[in-house]
Amino acid sequence: MPESPHDVHMSADAFRRHGRAVIDWIADYLENIEQHPVQSPVKPNHVRAQLPAHPPERGESFEAMLRDVNEIILPGLTHWQSPSFFGFFPANTSYPSILGELLSAGLGVQGMLWATSPACTELETHVLDWVVDLLDLPREFLSTSEGGGVIQDTASSATLCAMLAARECATGGATNDRGTDGTLTVYTSRQTHSSIEKAATIAGIGRVNLRLIEVDERFAMEPEKLRQAVRADRRAGKMPAFVCATVGTTSSNAIDPVRAIGEICREEKLWLHVDAAMSGTAALCPEFRHIHDGLELADSYCFNPHKWMFTNFDCDCFFVRDRAALVRALSILPEYLRNTATESGHVIDYRDWQIPLGRRFRALKLWFVIRHYGAEGLRELVREHLALAREFADWVRESKSYDLITDPPLNLVCLRHVEGDRRTRAILEAINDSGRAFLTHTKLNDRYVIRVSIGGTRTRRPHVEALRGQLSDLA
Ligand SMILES: *Cc1c(COP(=O)(O)O)cnc(C)c1O
């Protein structure tokens, strides 16, 4: 008798044992994360050079795998969960989120349709209604209205979905069938995230039809310039379709004036998408909800709990005011997916709200995060980051060696050394090479600027003070 193929599987007992070891490993890693240099020091190909050229012919032990994680993988990581990680924007996480992610892996359900796992869809719809409450978003985004929310992998995908819906709306549903004819135009600010340009290329609108609107001295879009650009395009026979406003730009956290932009979009009948990927989380706190002023004029909105709301990557919350418009743009129903629940019209099939067909059970981790911390706990953590950023900005303002580039609207502080680009860059590199903190840069008004993004789950006052100390020593 040949051996049963079952023998090659990991046994349930071994899974329990290794699973506990992995949970311990993660807790040890996170509790001792400050022992590692924040930025990985390895050179290109260092990791691959240690890996066997060919896959193993015979299965290996789990201990061997975990040993290689320690010896090969760990040194090749930049530690995003380090409390001294101030680069890019955070991708913070938390224990309840990690457990939600693990459960999702354990369940292994594929939630493309309501019928493929009703709880996967219904929990997601429910949690996104909670998010409307948590951030005090417009009621139009509730699933009980004409709109609703969905979890996307990233803000980039959310923006692409919004642009595709806008494209279909603007052309009366013609573009999916016939393609674009080169007349559609889309608008965003010069400071917007690169994902808008990428969406315009993927959606077939093309870079030539993407208008980058000028910004004011605080790097926020100038609404009048938007109006002028839209009108000029109409005069030239173009078909303006879509505007993306940003709440919290990536370079400087600038907040576009959503209300003024929204009023123009209403007058001109344009789809308004609001990208608040990083900064939307601030609206947990009533005193910061002014960032969303005018959001009721938006057709769609997204923010990333996977940046600053303690939820593992990937988790972007995407809301639309008219779900029918989104579904019209993204729905295709092949025979093999037909089912009575879908045909009843009483259920949501989230496959029609996103680019891929398949989807993970992401709502679990967000549900766990919200339930573990409660609105109060989340607000407390976010307020701490915001206060730390304010104090840090005050320090920069008073420093003789550094200039504050703009008054930080939220928790991103942009600064440069008074001696200019080269000096600023050398300081950033010295800090990153030290392994004691990690920073990234941008360019504002063509000048090299250090960004200090304060939003890590474990980032506390001593970490920001240590960074200040390093900046002082290098000044
Ligand atoms: C981070 C960011 C994005 C892109 O986020 P992904 O989820 O990685 O696609 C888009 N817009 C803004 C404003 C961002 O900060």
Side-chain angles (χ1 to χ4, degrees), residues 89 154-156 193 195 246 248-250 275 277-278 304 306-307 313:
F89 279 142
T154 59
S156 302
H193 190 265
S195 54
T246 310
T249 59
T250 314
D275 173 9
M278 170 64 193
N304 287 352
H306 74 222
K307 276 183 171 159
F313 188 87

Side-chain angles (χ1 to χ4, degrees), residues 167-308:
R167 191 187 76 174
E168 279 297 281
C169 283
T171 58
T175 40
N176 272 358
D177 289 333
R178 297 205 293 270
T180 50
D181 65 3
T183 60
L184 287 170
T185 49
V186 298
Y187 306 79
T188 192
S189 93
R190 277 205 178 286
Q191 288 289 317
T192 207
H193 190 265
S194 56
S195 54
I196 288 73
E197 177 181 340
K198 193 166 184 177
T201 61
I202 297 169
I205 286 162
R207 280 192 192 100
V208 291
N209 294 312
L210 169 67
R211 308 284 181 254
L212 298 179
I213 306 301
E214 291 302 329
V215 294
D216 62 19
E217 69 291 346
R218 301 174 75 185
F219 306 105
M221 191 196 290
E222 293 207 56
E224 276 315 305
K225 297 272 168 65
L226 169 66
R227 192 195 305 271
Q228 289 161 14
V230 169
R231 294 203 172 150
D233 278 329
R234 285 209 203 281
R235 283 195 300 275
K238 291 286 193 177
M239 194 189 284
F242 171 90
V243 176
C244 175
T246 310
V247 168
T249 59
T250 314
S251 275
S252 69
N253 245 191
I255 316 272
D256 286 344
V258 175
R259 180 170 300 285
I261 293 168
E263 281 162 3
I264 293 167
C265 290
R266 283 289 165 92
E267 281 167 37
E268 299 284 344
K269 299 198 167 37
L270 306 175
W271 183 291
L272 173 60
H273 175 63
V274 175
D275 173 9
M278 170 64 193
S279 300
T281 297
L284 284 163
C285 311
E287 68 274 26
F288 289 101
R289 288 189 185 150
H290 56 83
I291 62 174
H292 286 156
D293 179 49
L295 194 57
E296 71 279 7
L297 300 171
D299 296 283
S300 55
Y301 168 82
C302 74
F303 89 107
N304 287 352
H306 74 222
K307 276 183 171 159
W308 188 18

Side-chain angles (χ1 to χ4, degrees), residues 241-457:
F242 171 90
V243 176
C244 175
T246 310
V247 168
T249 59
T250 314
S251 275
S252 69
N253 245 191
I255 316 272
D256 286 344
V258 175
R259 180 170 300 285
I261 293 168
E263 281 162 3
I264 293 167
C265 290
R266 283 289 165 92
E267 281 167 37
E268 299 284 344
K269 299 198 167 37
L270 306 175
W271 183 291
L272 173 60
H273 175 63
V274 175
D275 173 9
M278 170 64 193
S279 300
T281 297
L284 284 163
C285 311
E287 68 274 26
F288 289 101
R289 288 189 185 150
H290 56 83
I291 62 174
H292 286 156
D293 179 49
L295 194 57
E296 71 279 7
L297 300 171
D299 296 283
S300 55
Y301 168 82
C302 74
F303 89 107
N304 287 352
H306 74 222
K307 276 183 171 159
W308 188 18
M309 215 174 89
F310 314 100
T311 307
N312 274 69
F313 188 87
D314 50 354
C315 182
D316 166 272
C317 294
F318 176 51
F319 295 92
V320 290
R321 69 155 50 240
D322 177 6
R323 59 179 176 259
L326 181 67
V327 169
R328 268 199 307 275
L330 297 177
S331 175
I332 290 176
L333 185 58
E335 186 55 37
Y336 48 80
L337 293 179
R338 286 187 188 279
N339 66 87
T340 47
T342 296
E343 269 146 36
S344 78
H346 296 314
V347 301
I348 288 177
D349 290 326
Y350 276 130
R351 72 184 188 103
D352 294 333
W353 296 51
Q354 61 173 23
I355 307 291
L357 170 62
R359 58 201 326 275
R360 314 198 298 115
F361 196 171
R362 296 194 191 89
L364 269 179
K365 61 189 172 190
L366 187 56
W367 189 43
F368 280 14
V369 166
I370 295 170
R371 292 182 67 183
H372 172 85
Y373 292 99
E376 221 174 72
L378 292 172
R379 268 183 226 123
E380 192 178 307
L381 295 171
V382 162
R383 281 188 179 123
E384 186 177 342
H385 291 146
L386 288 158
L388 290 173
R390 218 163 25 240
E391 284 169 27
F392 180 69
D394 288 343
W395 173 80
V396 176
R397 206 179 273 115
E398 279 156 31
S399 144
K400 290 192 177 56
S401 312
Y402 294 100
D403 286 335
L404 187 67
I405 305 301
T406 55
D407 195 25
L410 298 163
N411 57 337
L412 174 68
V413 183
C414 294
L415 65 148
R416 61 190 254 112
H417 195 276
V418 289
E419 283 168 24
D421 286 6
R422 272 168 110 205
R423 188 70 199 279
T424 308
R425 182 175 177 161
I427 290 168
L428 176 139
E429 285 170 359
I431 289 176
N432 288 351
D433 289 345
S434 79
R436 285 161 53 203
F438 178 72
L439 302 169
T440 56
H441 80 282
T442 189
K443 277 200 167 165
L444 289 167
N445 295 331
D446 260 344
R447 298 188 310 177
Y448 188 97
V449 168
I450 294 175
R451 298 164 72 264
V452 177
S453 168
I454 300 175
T457 304

Side-chain angles (χ1 to χ4, degrees), residues 120-161:
C120 180
T121 294
E122 292 193 17
L123 182 67
E124 185 162 330
T125 307
H126 202 78
V127 169
L128 285 164
D129 280 353
W130 278 9
V131 170
V132 171
D133 259 16
L134 273 174
L135 303 190
D136 197 22
L137 299 175
R139 316 306 288 170
E140 289 87 342
F141 292 156
L142 285 172
S143 67
T144 46
S145 70
E146 305 284 296
V150 58
I151 300 181
Q152 302 272 338
D153 52 2
T154 59
S156 302
S157 295
T159 298
L160 176 58
C161 289

